[in-house]
Amino acid sequence: MTARLASFNTPVPELPVADVERAQAYYRDTFGFQIGWIQPDKQIGSVNRDRTSIFFRKRAVPFEPAVHWVHTPEIDRSYAELQAAGAHIVEPLETKPWGLRQFTVEDLDHNRFHFHAG
């Protein structure tokens, strides 16, 4: 008999940023997140949207940006929403040779999100 594995929830990424409050405002205004919290020293804070949370941690520049893959079943709608909100789209929506429809956005600190469906 195989033992049942403990369940996990969705991971919470922690992104490196130059300014936590600036990152929170950008994610609110561009990606539709709500600001969650910020520590009094402004070194770490969070945003939330639906079942997704993101932490931001202040880092000294230069730092290596993070890369994330986000599955979105409504890829065309997501693309239109982010385009209308002024997101910095660095790769337009297209079907890639590996079969995924995807596009890529970059935030103010060069963290990248590859949105994909398929």
Side-chain angles (χ1 to χ4, degrees):
M1 179 197 285
T2 304
R4 183 175 106 43
L5 297 175
S7 63
F8 290 158
N9 285 330
T10 304
V12 176
E14 181 179 289
L15 304 183
V17 298
D19 182 307
V20 173
E21 287 181 301
R22 179 185 75 153
Q24 287 177 309
Y26 180 78
Y27 277 68
R28 179 195 61 215
D29 299 343
T30 306
F31 298 116
F33 281 81
Q34 294 180 336
I35 295 174
W37 52 268
I38 189 166
Q39 290 289 327
D41 63 5
K42 300 184 182 190
Q43 297 294 304
I44 188 168
S46 77
V47 292
N48 308 291
R49 178 180 168 171
D50 302 320
R51 294 181 310 255
T52 301
S53 294
I54 298 174
F55 289 1
F56 302 111
R57 185 175 299 271
K58 185 174 182 170
R59 296 287 184 210
V61 177
F63 52 78
E64 185 169 342
V67 175
H68 297 281
W69 290 82
V70 180
H71 180 263
T72 176
E74 298 178 285
I75 190 80
D76 294 296
R77 184 174 172 193
S78 295
Y79 185 72
E81 286 177 4
L82 291 174
Q83 202 172 32
H88 181 57
I89 297 171
V90 294
E91 294 179 10
L93 179 60
E94 63 184 356
T95 301
K96 297 295 187 177
W98 48 89
L100 292 179
R101 282 185 43 78
Q102 76 179 57
F103 66 96
T104 302
V105 299
E106 187 175 88
D107 71 10
L108 298 173
D109 294 288
H110 307 291
N111 295 299
R112 284 193 172 201
F113 290 84
H114 301 292
F115 289 86
H116 65 91

